[in-house]
């Protein structure tokens, strides 16, 4: 057990170093979808809010947003030109109720690599948060979440990180941790997880 616990800590530190994050901004998740759902299910959505994403997204970065329709949240799917994002059209797709822009770093169907910092600028200029599905690029290209101004990131380890299925990471910028409602809470979710006599 102590060896397992140390290995998890080392994995979180390594993941943080890989993307320029802090260790406490990294969650270990089983896949990209779970990381995206931490945000999709965690934000305090209100009826009339919207998410802007791309038409050519892999389903992992579409279904979590489309699933919010029952809560009155609209998913706007912006067309691309063979994966290229038109920044002016992206800006036009956002409005005062846009809570989040969510894109893949690299398009799964054609390998188009997006300028994350430029997309983040558009999202933030519109008052929206920015999430990146990084599975197709992490491990192949360098990425610094701070300089790219990314709020959330999710990636599985079985692509360019050469890891197994079921070993992914999620990044949540520290300042946004309190914005997300935790779900799937268990005994590892508290700071005193080894003290079973404390339940508060």
């Amino acid at each position: 057990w102590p060896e397992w616990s140390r290995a998890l800590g080392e994995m979180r530190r390594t993941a943080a170093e890989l993307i320029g994050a802090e260790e406490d901004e990294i969650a270990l998740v089983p896949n990209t979808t779970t990381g995206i759902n931490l945000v999709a299910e965690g934000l305090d959505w209100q009826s009339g809010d919207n998410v802007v994403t791309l038409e050519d997204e892999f389903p992992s970065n579409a279904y979590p947003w489309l699933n919010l329709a029952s809560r009155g949240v609209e998913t706007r799917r912006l067309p691309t030109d063979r994966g290229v994002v038109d920044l002016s059209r992206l800006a036009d797709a956002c409005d005062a109720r846009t809570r989040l822009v969510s894109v893949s770093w690299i398009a799964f169907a054609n390998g188009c690599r997006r300028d994350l910092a430029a997309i983040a600028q558009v999202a933030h200029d519109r008052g929206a948060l920015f999430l990146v599905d990084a599975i197709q690029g992490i491990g192949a290209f360098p990425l610094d979440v701070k300089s790219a101004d990314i709020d959330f990131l999710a990636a599985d380890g079985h692509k360019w990180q050469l890891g197994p299925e079921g070993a992914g990471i999620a990044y949540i910028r520290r300042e946004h941790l309190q914005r997300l409602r935790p779900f799937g809470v268990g005994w590892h979710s508290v700071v005193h997880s080894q003290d079973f006599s404390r339940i508060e």
Side-chain angles (χ1 to χ4, degrees), residues 92-123:
D92 290 344
C94 299
D95 61 24
R97 294 302 300 271
T98 303
R99 296 286 303 281
L100 185 91
V101 172
S102 183
V103 305
S104 291
W105 182 11
I106 296 176
F108 82 98
N110 59 29
C112 179
R113 183 166 36 150
R114 281 86 184 236
D115 183 343
L116 297 180
I119 296 171
Q121 183 70 52
V122 171

Side-chain angles (χ1 to χ4, degrees), residues 115-162:
D115 183 343
L116 297 180
I119 296 171
Q121 183 70 52
V122 171
H124 294 149
D125 285 350
R126 295 295 191 167
L129 297 166
F130 181 44
L131 182 144
V132 175
D133 174 345
I135 189 171
Q136 301 288 352
I138 194 167
F141 299 106
L143 178 64
D144 185 301
V145 292
K146 300 291 194 279
S147 64
D149 212 8
I150 296 168
D151 298 301
F152 310 106
L153 176 145
D156 206 330
H158 71 273
K159 298 271 183 174
W160 295 108
Q161 294 180 89
L162 307 179

Side-chain angles (χ1 to χ4, degrees), residues 23-136:
E23 185 179 344
D24 65 353
E25 296 175 313
I26 298 293
L28 302 179
V29 294
N31 50 49
T32 306
T33 303
T34 301
I36 292 171
N37 271 301
L38 290 175
V39 179
E41 296 299 324
L43 283 176
D44 61 335
W45 301 99
Q46 304 297 316
S47 182
D49 288 345
N50 67 74
V51 177
V52 175
T53 188
L54 307 176
E55 279 188 355
D56 61 1
E57 286 295 331
F58 189 76
S60 293
N61 197 27
Y63 289 136
W65 314 120
L66 293 168
N67 190 48
L68 296 172
S70 64
R71 293 159 68 178
V73 178
E74 177 190 3
T75 300
R76 299 177 177 173
R77 299 176 66 222
L78 183 72
T80 68
D81 180 8
R82 292 172 296 173
V84 177
V85 178
D86 182 321
L87 296 178
S88 63
R89 290 185 73 186
L90 176 64
D92 290 344
C94 299
D95 61 24
R97 294 302 300 271
T98 303
R99 296 286 303 281
L100 185 91
V101 172
S102 183
V103 305
S104 291
W105 182 11
I106 296 176
F108 82 98
N110 59 29
C112 179
R113 183 166 36 150
R114 281 86 184 236
D115 183 343
L116 297 180
I119 296 171
Q121 183 70 52
V122 171
H124 294 149
D125 285 350
R126 295 295 191 167
L129 297 166
F130 181 44
L131 182 144
V132 175
D133 174 345
I135 189 171
Q136 301 288 352

